[in-house]
């Protein structure tokens, strides 16, 4: 699985078999026999995730191995989470470039409602909050204050630092980190792929995150900011035309008066002097798979022109090397350079650095300021498929980008140099296709920082390494769960999973800045280390002024202790956040990835939190715990209550769960089956769920809703563009009356399209009156059978028939909907929130959120406040009465 699917919870004891299967031991027996919290559950889960992410081989190799059989995964079996997030927006076919840009234009042209959004998560979020050291928490791991994933970093010598987030835009600090301000809110894409400062001090932004993980968004091109100390990005600052729209951009490199862009559709270049005019396509290995090409609709098209980096010889900028290749391997993977004017694959003379397609995957280059040394990280597709420990081919050094290259580190060496990842099944570089950065000290060609899952440093050109930013502190002798300390006697580390790096100065001191799944951290460039090689001087820069938290869900309930409400939410790789009404610092009461969320409206400390694939934990005390369960298991206050589809793998990555709108003790969960339990937050075992309906083999629920015992379930199966199908099933929570609704197979106009069905909103006054939110894009943008038109549909007869009520709603993926107390309808989209007032047929834009995906909407217990869970800018609220 992708790094976001990794379960970081470390506290249940399991056994690891040779095949990385998990064999659970009763929870009550767990703590007493576990001398190290970095124990079997963590290792087993990480190994299991690793096992699911390997086996991604090229179509050619598969055909050779199994006699030519085709399992339908010509696109190299991308990590399942990434598949599912993407297919919701692309099925039943392929989306043409420009879809999001057109949607943003349409959205900004809508009339606006009254009112303004208020960000309620713009305060520090402490992953080590001492209040929440329960059984399923990662508190005390050592990451400290966190925010959402940072994909790219840039910094100068005047104290200005720039952080490019995965889904929340670009942020600027004028104080060497901290006191952040957003500077790209006016752009139609808030997903960052690359940031770079050129020799003139201009800041270049490549939009579209290129980590190929579960929730990466495409971009709208490259932008440049001439005065990054004071200015902000705008659509007028885009470089060139729309050639790079709907791509991802992994690197921007400069040389010979040009900027080079490594994108998901080949390598492009543009003049750095004249910013108008089209981008030039320098090289693409498989042009037939590009938009407009003869194979553009092929299932593997998105992975046929992946480019990773560009190395330009500063002494002769006409000498360029391209690192090309899909992380899971393909025939075109390799290094290319121009020979007699033609881009040609390099097949020899590189020394230790592989050149064969099987061993060239995701690659990152770095060079010293004086051009005397080059470094490279290479992820090997073959090793990723065959080696359960690591996919890292190595880290390499050379005097020229043309080699010969010498290997200066492999995963075993890095594991032995203070790493927290020393156990079989999860070692340094195990996710090197996702985690990579590389930079060289501008004043010392031998001083290098390399980012994988952890941060590694060498001061001697790679002869020796130190894990200065270990994955976490669990398992180290200095660690303890003591709630009076952040992370025992260990020093703070960074959040795991490294993506961006920059070196800059503030008040004459040099610092290294790293961006990862937990935000931004810094330390002195020549910082201190303890005896284990761990840095003693990391500082989290996630001070609450930067909020790029990536929520999948939000829950709201009355805070019976402090008054007001308690707000919770599930996050990408940052667990579950909890914000009590008197908090000045938000805490984390569950670790890992947070999926869907249930919160008791009457008591905000009654919480059910989904990890992924319907792994559900429940607590009735907000998971407040001082860690004493380590010696006394009876003090555990959170419980695993997953229904059976979790164990069988028959649920989606982020699977739907809900409570009956009329009875909060009745829950519905969807995998292949529709599950119901009636014990509310007092549930203590997965055995308490009842299977009330089988959607059928190969089908899995995408949305569920219930009111007064009536249940609606949407499903897909197959869920990708190879035979995509969708449907709706309706029945009762007691198991009676279940049936499939007849929908046109190809989604004719006016009927429910053949696209991903993402959410229901039931009229609280009439359970037969229901709205349906439909994801993806219409047939104008989507090549695929039955893409149809429309995003919001209404039924007044319990789902038997549906009417398109989209009207002037922009053609943009919709994710969630809620009926407001006055009878209005609020809808969450990938670009913000829209609202239809009662008695009206047209839509208005709610407030002025940046172009950020809103994945879920919830109402406060009194119905007066609308909560929006954004995937990149935290949680926002607005008064319902202002939406008119």
């Amino acid at each position: 699985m992708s790094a976001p699917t990794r379960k970081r919870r470390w506290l249940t004891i399991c056994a690891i078999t040779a095949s990385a299967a998990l064999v659970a031991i009763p929870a009550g027996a767990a703590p007493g026999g576990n001398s190290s919290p970095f124990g079997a559950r963590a290792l087993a889960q990480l190994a299991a995730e690793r096992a699911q992410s390997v086996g991604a081989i090229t179509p050619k190799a598969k055909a050779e191995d199994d006699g030519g059989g085709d399992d339908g995964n010509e696109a190299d079996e991308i990590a399942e989470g990434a598949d599912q997030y993407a297919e919701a927006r692309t099925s039943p076919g392929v989306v043409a470039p420009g879809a999001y840009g057109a949607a943003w234009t349409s959205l900004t042209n809508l009339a606006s409602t009254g009112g303004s959004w208020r960000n309620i998560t713009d305060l520090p979020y402490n992953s080590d909050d001492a209040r929440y050291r329960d059984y399923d928490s990662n508190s005390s791991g050592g990451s400290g204050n966190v925010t959402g994933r940072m994909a790219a970093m840039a910094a100068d010598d005047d104290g200005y630092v720039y952080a490019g987030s995965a889904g929340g835009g670009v942020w600027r600090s004028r104080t060497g980190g901290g006191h952040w301000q957003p500077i790209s809110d006016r752009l139609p894409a808030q997903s960052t792929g690359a940031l770079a400062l050129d020799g003139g001090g201009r800041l270049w932004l490549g939009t579209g995150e290129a980590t190929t993980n579960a929730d990466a968004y495409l971009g709208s091109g490259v932008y440049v900011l001439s005065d990054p100390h004071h200015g902000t990005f705008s659509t007028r600052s885009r470089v060139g035309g729309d050639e790079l729209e709907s791509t991802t951009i992994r690197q921007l490199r400069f040389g010979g008066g040009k900027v080079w862009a490594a994108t998901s559709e080949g390598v492009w270049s543009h003049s750095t002097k004249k910013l108008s005019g089209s981008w030039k396509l320098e090289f693409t290995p498989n042009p037939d798979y590009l938009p407009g090409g003869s194979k553009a609709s092929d299932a593997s098209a998105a992975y046929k022109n992946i480019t990773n980096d560009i190395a330009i010889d500063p002494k002769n900028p006409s000498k360029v090397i391209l690192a090309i290749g899909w992380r899971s391997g393909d025939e075109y993977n390799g290094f290319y350079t121009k020979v007699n004017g033609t881009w040609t694959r390099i097949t020899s003379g590189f020394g230790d650095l592989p050149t064969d397609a099987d061993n060239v995957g995701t690659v990152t280059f770095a060079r010293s300021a004086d051009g005397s040394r080059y470094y490279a990280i290479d992820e090997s597709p073959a090793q990723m498929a065959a080696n359960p420990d690591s996919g890292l081919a190595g880290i390499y050094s050379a005097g020229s980008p043309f080699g010969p290259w010498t290997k200066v580190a492999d995963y075993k060496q890095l594991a032995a140099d203070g790493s927290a990842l020393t156990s079989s099944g999860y070692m340094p570089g195990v996710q090197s296709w996702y985690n990579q950065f590389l930079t060289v000290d501008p004043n010392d060609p031998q001083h290098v920082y390399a980012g994988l899952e952890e941060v590694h440093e060498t001061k001697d050109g790679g002869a020796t390494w130190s894990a200065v930013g270990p994955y976490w502190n669990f398992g180290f002798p200095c660690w303890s769960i003591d709630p009076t300390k952040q992370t025992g006697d260990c020093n703070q580390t960074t959040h795991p999973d490294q993506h961006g790096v920059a070196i800059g100065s503030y008040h004459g001191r040099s610092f290294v800045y790293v961006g990862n799944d937990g935000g931004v951290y810094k330390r002195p460039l020549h910082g201190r280390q303890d005896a284990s090689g761990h840095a003693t001087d990391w500082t989290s820069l996630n001070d609450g002024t930067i909020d790029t938290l990536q929520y999948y869900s939000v829950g709201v309930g009355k805070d019976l202790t402090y008054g007001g409400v308690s707000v919770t939410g599930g996050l990408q790789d940052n667990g579950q956040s909890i914000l009590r009404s008197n908090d000045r610092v938000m805490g984390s009461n569950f670790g890992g990835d947070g999926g869907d969320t249930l919160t008791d409206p009457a008591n905000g400390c009654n919480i059910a939190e989904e990890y992924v694939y319907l792994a559900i934990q429940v607590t009735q005390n907000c998971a407040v715990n001082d860690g004493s369960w380590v010696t006394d298991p009876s003090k555990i206050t959170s419980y695993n209550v997953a229904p059976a589809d979790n164990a069988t793998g028959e649920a989606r990555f982020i699977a739907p769960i809900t409570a009956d709108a009329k009875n909060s003790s009745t829950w519905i969960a969807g995998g292949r089956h529709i599950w119901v339990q009636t014990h509310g937050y007092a549930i203590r075992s997965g055995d308490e769920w009842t299977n009330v309906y089988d959607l059928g083999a190969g089908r899995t629920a995408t949305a569920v809703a219930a009111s007064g015992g009536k249940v609606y379930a949407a499903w897909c199966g197959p869920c990708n563009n190879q035979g995509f199908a969708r449907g709706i099933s309706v029945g009762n929570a007691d198991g009676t009356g279940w049936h499939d609704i007849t929908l046109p197979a190809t989604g004719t106009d006016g009927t429910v399209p053949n696209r991903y069905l993402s959410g229901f909103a039931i009229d609280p006054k009439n359970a037969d009156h229901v709205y349906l939110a439909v994801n993806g894009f219409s047939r104008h943008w989507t090549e695929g059978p039955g893409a149809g038109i429309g995003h919001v549909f209404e039924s007044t007869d319990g789902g038997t028939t549906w009417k398109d009520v989209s009207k002037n709603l922009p053609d943009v993926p919709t994710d969630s909907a809620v009926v407001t107390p006055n009878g209005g309808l609020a809808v969450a989209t990938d670009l913000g929130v829209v609202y239809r007032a009662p008695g009206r047929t047209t839509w208005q834009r709610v407030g002025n959120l940046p172009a950020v995906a809103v994945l879920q909407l919830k109402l406060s217990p009194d119905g007066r406040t609308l909560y929006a869970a954004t995937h990149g800018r935290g949680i926002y609220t607005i008064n319902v009465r202002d939406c008119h």
Side-chain angles (χ1 to χ4, degrees):
M1 314 294 312
S2 70
T5 69
R6 182 185 322 115
K7 194 167 192 176
R8 299 191 192 284
R9 298 179 188 134
W10 43 272
L11 304 170
T12 299
I13 301 303
C14 303
I16 306 175
T17 70
S19 60
L22 286 96
V23 182
I25 292 176
N34 185 17
S35 60
S36 168
F38 187 65
R41 179 181 184 184
L43 297 175
Q45 184 63 46
L46 300 180
E49 180 224 6
R50 172 65 186 155
Q52 294 179 59
S53 71
V54 301
I57 57 179
T58 67
K60 177 182 178 181
K62 178 168 285 292
E64 292 171 347
D65 290 346
D66 61 18
D70 185 357
D71 67 350
N73 291 319
E74 286 88 352
D76 298 327
E77 296 189 9
I78 187 171
E80 188 175 353
D83 246 350
Q84 294 185 9
Y85 201 82
E87 68 197 17
R89 289 153 176 80
T90 59
S91 295
V94 176
V95 177
Y100 274 104
W104 178 246
T105 299
S106 297
L107 188 71
T108 55
N109 288 334
L110 286 181
S112 294
T113 66
S116 299
W117 290 101
R118 182 172 73 92
N119 184 352
I120 64 168
T121 53
D122 57 346
L123 73 171
Y125 174 32
N126 185 6
S127 68
D128 291 321
D129 194 319
R131 294 174 292 177
Y132 307 109
R133 300 209 164 166
D134 205 359
Y135 188 66
D136 286 308
S137 170
N138 276 352
S139 179
S140 76
S143 295
N145 290 344
V146 297
T147 190
R149 186 171 69 247
M150 291 297 156
M153 299 295 302
D156 63 20
D157 289 331
D158 297 317
Y160 286 80
V161 184
Y162 308 94
S165 67
V170 180
W171 298 69
R172 174 177 59 213
S173 169
R174 295 186 170 100
T175 58
H179 304 288
W180 301 91
Q181 296 175 316
I183 60 173
S184 65
D185 281 3
R186 291 187 290 167
L187 297 184
Q190 297 297 308
S191 174
T192 304
L195 283 176
L197 288 163
D198 66 15
R202 295 179 297 178
L203 180 65
W204 293 70
L205 163 63
T207 60
E209 187 191 14
T211 52
T212 67
N213 65 299
D215 56 351
Y217 278 88
L218 299 177
S220 56
V222 173
Y223 300 82
V224 65
L225 194 54
S226 297
D227 182 13
H229 286 189
H230 304 97
T232 60
F233 288 102
S234 72
T235 54
R236 296 189 302 274
S237 62
R238 186 164 78 171
V239 178
D242 60 2
E243 298 84 13
L244 302 187
E245 188 163 326
S246 298
T247 69
T248 63
I249 298 174
R250 191 171 184 274
Q251 295 286 1
L252 295 172
R253 302 294 190 185
F254 303 99
K258 296 192 294 186
V259 56
W260 295 68
T263 83
S264 54
E265 294 182 357
V267 175
W268 300 69
S269 71
H270 198 285
S271 169
T272 56
K273 298 177 181 178
K274 183 180 179 182
L275 302 182
S276 60
S278 299
W279 284 82
K280 177 185 177 183
L281 178 57
E282 293 280 357
F283 177 66
T284 183
N286 295 294
D288 288 346
Y289 291 89
L290 293 177
S294 60
K295 297 181 179 180
S297 60
D298 189 276
S300 62
Y303 318 111
K304 286 294 187 180
N305 290 287
I306 300 291
T307 63
N308 293 300
D309 209 345
I310 303 109
I312 304 169
D313 189 337
K315 301 173 184 177
N316 183 357
S318 66
K319 298 178 66 176
V320 178
I321 290 179
L322 312 179
I324 308 289
W326 170 231
R327 66 177 199 199
S328 297
D330 207 316
E331 293 176 339
Y332 72 89
N333 284 29
F335 297 100
Y336 294 76
T337 191
K338 273 192 173 180
V339 178
N340 298 323
T342 301
W343 290 104
T344 304
R345 188 199 303 265
I346 295 172
T347 58
S348 62
F350 250 32
D352 294 341
L353 183 59
T355 58
D356 60 296
D358 290 339
N359 287 294
V360 178
T362 302
V363 172
T364 301
F365 291 122
R367 70 172 177 87
S368 61
D370 63 7
S372 65
R373 298 305 302 171
Y374 287 77
Y375 296 88
I377 297 175
D378 176 36
E379 168 260 333
S380 164
Q383 185 170 319
M384 187 175 78
N387 186 341
D389 296 335
S390 177
L392 178 68
I395 303 176
Y396 303 84
S397 175
S400 160
F402 289 84
W405 294 84
T406 299
K407 182 184 285 190
V408 295
D410 60 21
Y411 76 93
K412 292 181 179 179
Q413 178 181 351
L414 296 177
D417 291 331
S419 171
L421 306 179
T422 59
S423 299
S424 177
Y426 211 88
M427 299 180 75
V430 68
Q431 303 229 124
S432 50
W433 56 266
Y434 173 67
N435 303 313
Q436 282 194 22
F437 73 56
L438 196 58
T439 193
V440 185
D441 183 338
N443 297 310
D444 182 357
Q446 302 296 311
H447 187 198
V448 180
Y449 280 88
L452 295 164
E453 295 75 31
E454 305 169 300
V455 181
H456 302 272
E457 180 185 19
T458 179
K459 299 178 180 179
D460 52 18
T464 59
W465 293 84
S466 298
V468 290
Y471 190 91
W472 51 24
N473 288 325
F474 298 135
F476 293 141
C478 56
W479 176 87
S480 79
I481 204 168
D482 183 350
T484 66
K485 300 179 179 181
Q486 177 190 355
T487 179
D489 293 325
C490 301
N491 293 291
Q492 176 170 318
T493 183
T494 70
H495 192 288
D497 298 333
Q498 313 304 319
H499 306 296
V501 65
I503 294 173
S505 298
Y506 182 56
H507 291 330
R509 295 186 65 198
S510 295
F511 295 91
V512 60
Y513 300 88
V514 302
N516 50 48
D517 274 13
V520 188
Y521 296 76
K522 79 172 182 180
R523 71 181 293 247
L525 181 60
H526 299 279
R528 300 183 306 276
Q529 300 177 13
D530 63 19
S532 298
H534 305 150
T536 64
D537 44 16
W538 284 110
T539 299
S540 169
L541 300 178
N542 308 306
D543 58 3
T545 63
I546 184 170
D547 183 0
T548 60
L549 291 169
Q550 296 170 281
Y551 282 94
Y552 289 109
S553 61
V554 59
V556 190
K558 292 181 180 179
D559 191 328
L560 302 183
T561 303
Y562 304 108
V565 295
S566 176
V567 182
T568 62
L571 289 152
Q572 185 273 326
D573 212 12
N574 282 300
Q576 177 98 354
S577 70
I578 180 166
L579 177 63
R580 308 293 295 275
S581 60
N582 69 331
D583 276 352
R584 295 186 178 181
V585 174
M586 192 162 57
S588 177
N589 55 358
F590 292 93
D593 282 271
D596 213 341
T597 302
L598 295 182
T599 303
D600 186 350
N603 183 351
C605 274
N606 288 338
I607 303 166
E609 183 265 0
E610 179 198 20
Y611 165 55
V612 290
Y613 304 112
L614 280 184
I616 300 172
Q617 285 74 34
V618 66
T619 182
Q620 290 189 280
N621 75 332
C622 285
V624 171
N625 201 296
D626 63 3
S628 57
W629 59 266
V630 171
T631 55
D632 184 357
S634 69
K635 294 185 177 181
I636 293 170
T637 55
S638 60
Y639 309 92
N640 180 6
V641 297
D645 282 356
N646 168 249
T648 60
E650 293 178 294
R652 290 183 67 75
F653 175 68
I654 301 297
I657 57 174
T658 192
D660 189 300
K662 303 296 186 183
N663 182 358
S664 62
S665 291
T666 297
W667 297 0
I668 295 87
R672 168 181 167 171
H673 306 88
I674 303 303
W675 299 90
V676 173
Q677 71 91 7
T678 58
H679 299 157
Y681 297 89
I683 185 175
R684 291 295 180 267
S685 168
D687 295 336
E688 297 174 52
W689 293 92
T690 299
N691 170 18
V692 298
Y693 190 62
D694 185 350
L695 296 173
R699 294 177 176 179
T700 184
T702 59
V704 292
S707 181
K710 183 157 191 171
V711 181
Y712 295 88
W715 53 264
C716 62
C719 296
N720 59 24
N721 59 11
Q722 300 302 293
F724 177 86
R726 62 34 182 144
I728 297 172
S729 301
V730 179
N732 299 310
D734 63 8
T736 63
W738 278 92
H739 61 284
D740 292 343
I741 299 296
T742 301
L743 297 177
T746 56
T748 56
D749 287 0
T751 64
V752 176
N754 188 38
R755 302 202 307 270
Y756 186 93
L757 309 180
S758 53
F760 294 102
I762 302 176
D763 185 341
K765 300 177 181 178
N766 179 3
D768 286 332
H769 183 203
V770 60
Y771 296 93
L772 172 68
V774 181
N775 215 294
F777 289 93
S778 75
R779 64 168 180 251
H780 178 77
W781 298 104
T782 303
E783 295 182 21
I789 58 175
H791 289 275
V792 180
F793 292 78
E794 179 181 18
S795 174
T796 57
D797 55 12
T800 301
T801 60
W802 295 88
K803 176 185 177 182
D804 184 1
V805 294
S806 305
K807 295 294 183 180
N808 66 323
L809 183 71
D811 187 4
V812 60
T814 60
D815 301 295
S816 175
V818 64
V819 178
T820 58
N822 64 352
L825 183 65
V827 173
T829 80
D830 271 6
L831 294 174
V833 180
V834 294
Y835 176 74
R836 193 187 72 171
R840 303 285 182 88
T841 60
T842 57
W843 298 86
Q844 296 173 282
R845 182 185 181 192
V846 180
N848 289 292
L849 290 174
V852 63
V854 180
L855 297 189
Q856 194 173 83
L857 297 174
K858 291 283 181 67
L859 290 168
S860 60
D862 62 9
R864 297 177 181 176
T865 304
L866 183 67
Y867 288 76
T870 78
H871 202 68
R873 291 295 283 267
I875 296 174
Y876 283 76
T877 67
I878 194 169
N879 290 329
V880 172
R881 67 174 181 269
D882 292 334
C883 298
H884 57 75

